[in-house]
Amino acid sequence: MMDNGRLEIKEATAADVELLMQWRMEVLHEVFAIPADADTAELEHANRAYYRQQLREGGHVAVLAQVNGVTVGCGGLCLQQEMPSPDNPDGRCAYLMNVYCRQPYRLQGVGREIAGWLVARAKAMGIGKIYLETSAAGRRLYRSLGFAEMKDMMRLEF
C-alpha cells in the first residue's frame, strides 16, 4: 500500500502493446537522453515488432505498475537461453530491464515491487540466472534484492 493509493503489478499481454510502447519510448528518452524532437520512428517500429513477437511467443514478460488504476511504472524480463554451465545447468536465464516509474512515485517502493514481481516470476519459471544493467540510482535496490556485481565483464558495441 502506498500513501497515494493501492499499488498493483499487472502482467501485460499482446493487447497492451501500444501502452507498453508509450512506456518503452518514455524510458528510452530518459535513459538515453533522446531529445524530444528526435526522429525515433525506426526505434519505435523495432520495439513494437519485438513486443508483438516476444509477447506472443513467450520470450518476454512485461508488467505495468498501477496505483488506483493509473499506470505509474513498468518493467520487463527478456527470457534467454545461454549455454549450460555449473552455475546455470539448464542455461535458462533472463535479462531484467525497463524497470521504471514516474515522478512522484519514485522512492516509494514502486521499482522494488516491479523488480520483485519479475524476479519471483523468473524463479517460478525455473530461470537459473538473471542479468541486468543499472544506473547508480538503482544499484542499492538491486543489491537489496540479492543481485551481485559482476566482475570481468566486457562489452563490444558496433
Side-chain angles (χ1 to χ4, degrees):
M1 182 74 102
M2 297 180 56
D3 292 342
N4 327 35
R6 180 170 156 69
L7 174 66
E8 292 183 81
I9 306 297
K10 295 189 174 191
E11 186 169 354
T13 68
D16 297 310
V17 167
E18 291 310 312
L19 180 57
L20 290 170
M21 281 301 303
Q22 291 171 19
W23 281 90
R24 176 68 175 153
M25 296 313 295
E26 182 174 331
V27 170
L28 292 175
H29 277 272
E30 184 166 323
V31 171
F32 291 95
I34 299 171
D37 62 350
D39 180 4
T40 58
E42 286 185 39
L43 188 57
E44 289 180 41
H45 177 76
N47 275 274
R48 187 172 281 106
Y50 170 86
Y51 274 133
R52 285 183 177 148
Q53 178 182 2
Q54 295 303 318
L55 289 172
R56 182 179 63 245
E57 295 177 3
H60 188 88
V61 176
V63 297
L64 298 164
Q66 298 181 332
V67 175
N68 298 331
V70 175
T71 304
V72 301
C74 62
L77 280 175
C78 298
L79 306 175
Q80 303 171 349
Q81 182 72 36
E82 64 184 15
M83 292 185 75
S85 61
D87 67 338
N88 192 14
D90 72 359
R92 294 181 65 204
C93 61
Y95 184 76
L96 178 66
M97 62 176 307
N98 222 39
V99 175
Y100 174 83
C101 69
R102 286 184 182 148
Q103 291 288 1
Y105 298 94
R106 292 182 183 164
L107 302 175
Q108 294 188 44
V110 175
R112 173 175 298 286
E113 290 295 320
I114 292 168
W117 191 100
L118 290 164
V119 167
R121 177 63 182 274
K123 286 180 183 178
M125 295 172 74
I127 302 293
K129 188 186 291 184
I130 302 174
Y131 298 97
L132 62 80
E133 290 179 70
T134 186
S135 64
R139 191 164 270 114
R140 190 175 84 199
L141 165 65
Y142 295 118
R143 281 187 185 134
S144 75
L145 291 172
F147 286 85
E149 301 284 338
M150 293 177 64
K151 63 178 187 166
D152 302 329
M153 293 290 292
M154 298 176 78
R155 175 170 79 188
L156 175 64
E157 292 185 22
F158 296 97

